[in-house]
Amino acid sequence: MRTRAKAAALTATTTVALAALVTPAVAAAPAGAHDGHDATRRAVRAAVADGVPGVTVTVRRGHGTWAATSGVGDLETGKPRSTRDHYRIASITKTFVATAVLQLEAEGRLSLDDTVEEWLPGAVRGNGNDGRRITLRQLLNHTSGIFDYLRDSGFQQKYMTADGFMKHRFDQADLGDLLAIAMSNEPYFEPGESFTYSNTNYLLAALVIEKATGNDYGDEIDRRIIAPLHLTSTSVPTTRVILPRPSSRAYSKFARTGTGPTYDVTEMNPRLAYGSGQMVSSSADLTRFYSALLGGRLLPREQLKEMKTTVESSRETSRYGLGLVDRKLSCGVHVWGHDGGIYGSNSDAVTTADGRHSLAVNFNGDWSGSTDAVIEAEFCGK
């Protein structure tokens, strides 16, 4: 799930809570942190001024780390955000899933040229869908043409409206039902002919990991990535509806507008997103992950090259690889990473090609602010 294309509470925001946003405080940088982040501080403040309840950001550069917060993590109490906050990372999950698939390729347990049908017989069939003609590579770079189940009108009405979310937020989503929703729609195009971002691709990719290993895809990510990198704030929750501590509340208006009620959407069953966006992490862990990935610590050179082989995406300034986005900034700098949005949470995590300069940022509101602006500020100084 995400909210750039970005997809997606009990009480409306109180006057007192809104007053807490008027003069947001930015946390002091920790001892030993790098200087030179004034533009990033301004961008973080600007996001809160634009209506984001609170922001947490971490930057890793060389062996140093800098972190800051602005705004609040709880609109009722005014409690500030923490640099150690856990949050739902949504589509950033896709980079973890793609990394696990590429590790399996490096081990000779599958090939990116394998078809979906070889691994998941009969899963992609009907209404013009044919898993015999779609490769694993096409799942990972969104050139499969498979319909995104999040775009189905029935799914959106049930889960992505305020009334629907409040009624169904704790539902145990059945993966077969989610695939059936996708298969009930015709594909966007013939496999390999174009690019359209589809969360269904990564639901399928997670199932391929499970078929290839005999283990839950989350257990494989934990064994292959989380544990070796000591990502102590990162997890693939199964049906746990609460966030680990410390964490902030997450807020949504179920629309890209600053008006209307604000809903607390912190508690939800993340299984609805599965391999497309189920994970929880922190800004510190995400900078460590992307630094390690682009620095060559998780994949052999051949597989990292495959991951960084991109196709044209829906944005002029970025290209999509295998669960990894190459983004060209206004100053000409290229950063690699992914963004993610889910109810009440907008996140972005990027790093330079050598993995030495990384940033991860999270907003605990999904209707305003720009994570792009924070990235531009850090890497371009504006």
Side-chain angles (χ1 to χ4, degrees), residues 97-141:
V97 169
T99 300
V101 172
L102 286 162
Q103 287 179 344
L104 289 168
E105 185 195 46
E107 295 163 8
R109 301 173 71 174
L110 55 74
S111 167
L112 293 178
D113 295 321
D114 291 345
T115 66
V116 175
E117 180 71 13
E118 289 177 65
W119 287 100
L120 305 172
V124 178
R125 291 290 179 88
N127 290 310
N129 295 287
D130 188 349
R132 296 170 297 182
R133 301 173 55 225
I134 298 170
T135 66
L136 302 187
R137 179 182 283 103
Q138 290 167 338
L139 292 182
L140 297 183
N141 67 12

Side-chain angles (χ1 to χ4, degrees), residues 30-306:
H34 284 268
D35 295 326
H37 302 285
D38 288 348
T40 309
R41 288 188 181 91
R42 289 194 296 271
V44 166
R45 290 190 183 101
V48 174
D50 193 42
V52 176
V55 181
T56 183
V57 61
T58 296
V59 173
R60 177 184 295 266
R61 192 164 192 172
H63 297 293
T65 298
W66 172 86
T69 66
S70 183
V72 298
D74 190 315
L75 288 172
E76 290 190 0
T77 67
K79 178 183 177 181
R81 292 216 63 177
S82 167
T83 58
R84 297 175 56 244
D85 270 352
H86 295 77
Y87 49 83
R88 302 188 193 283
I89 64 172
S91 282
I92 295 173
T93 300
K94 291 180 173 68
T95 311
F96 286 83
V97 169
T99 300
V101 172
L102 286 162
Q103 287 179 344
L104 289 168
E105 185 195 46
E107 295 163 8
R109 301 173 71 174
L110 55 74
S111 167
L112 293 178
D113 295 321
D114 291 345
T115 66
V116 175
E117 180 71 13
E118 289 177 65
W119 287 100
L120 305 172
V124 178
R125 291 290 179 88
N127 290 310
N129 295 287
D130 188 349
R132 296 170 297 182
R133 301 173 55 225
I134 298 170
T135 66
L136 302 187
R137 179 182 283 103
Q138 290 167 338
L139 292 182
L140 297 183
N141 67 12
H142 297 293
T143 61
S144 71
I146 296 173
F147 184 83
D148 184 353
Y149 69 92
L150 264 67
R151 296 190 185 185
D152 180 81
S153 59
F155 180 94
Q156 291 183 343
Q157 183 66 32
K158 183 174 182 179
Y159 293 108
M160 300 175 72
T161 62
D163 288 344
F165 177 85
M166 300 309 291
K167 182 177 180 180
H168 295 287
R169 62 159 70 187
F170 301 127
D171 284 5
Q172 176 71 23
D174 182 271
L175 301 183
D177 290 343
L178 299 181
L179 276 177
I181 290 172
M183 294 304 107
S184 69
N185 291 272
E186 294 182 357
Y188 297 120
F189 47 78
E190 292 296 309
E193 284 192 353
S194 186
F195 170 96
T196 295
Y197 192 93
S198 174
N199 289 281
T200 310
N201 288 326
Y202 276 77
L203 189 160
L204 290 163
L207 294 177
V208 169
I209 292 171
E210 294 177 350
K211 190 68 175 289
T213 64
N215 300 317
D216 183 271
Y217 90 95
D219 291 339
E220 286 295 312
I221 287 176
D222 185 70
R223 182 176 70 85
R224 294 170 173 274
I225 303 170
I226 295 173
L229 294 181
H230 305 289
L231 304 179
T232 56
S233 296
T234 303
S235 62
V236 186
T238 51
T239 57
R240 176 175 173 159
V241 302
I242 61 173
L243 290 170
R245 294 182 180 180
S247 60
S248 293
R249 308 304 294 175
Y251 299 99
S252 181
K253 291 183 179 293
F254 294 96
R256 293 289 290 182
T257 176
T259 61
T262 301
Y263 299 89
D264 185 323
V265 294
T266 312
E267 283 82 31
M268 61 168 288
N269 189 330
R271 187 175 169 84
L272 189 67
Y274 212 62
S276 71
Q278 191 173 3
M279 292 178 65
V280 168
S281 190
S282 68
S283 293
D285 272 13
L286 290 178
T287 59
R288 187 178 303 120
F289 166 63
Y290 279 105
S291 292
L293 178 62
L294 272 295
R297 292 175 54 195
L298 291 172
L299 293 173
R301 182 176 300 177
E302 180 180 347
Q303 277 67 41
L304 185 56
K305 181 179 178 181
E306 290 272 16

Side-chain angles (χ1 to χ4, degrees), residues 337-354:
H338 214 291
D339 66 299
I342 196 168
Y343 314 101
S345 180
N346 280 348
S347 307
D348 225 323
V350 297
T351 190
T352 49
D354 60 5

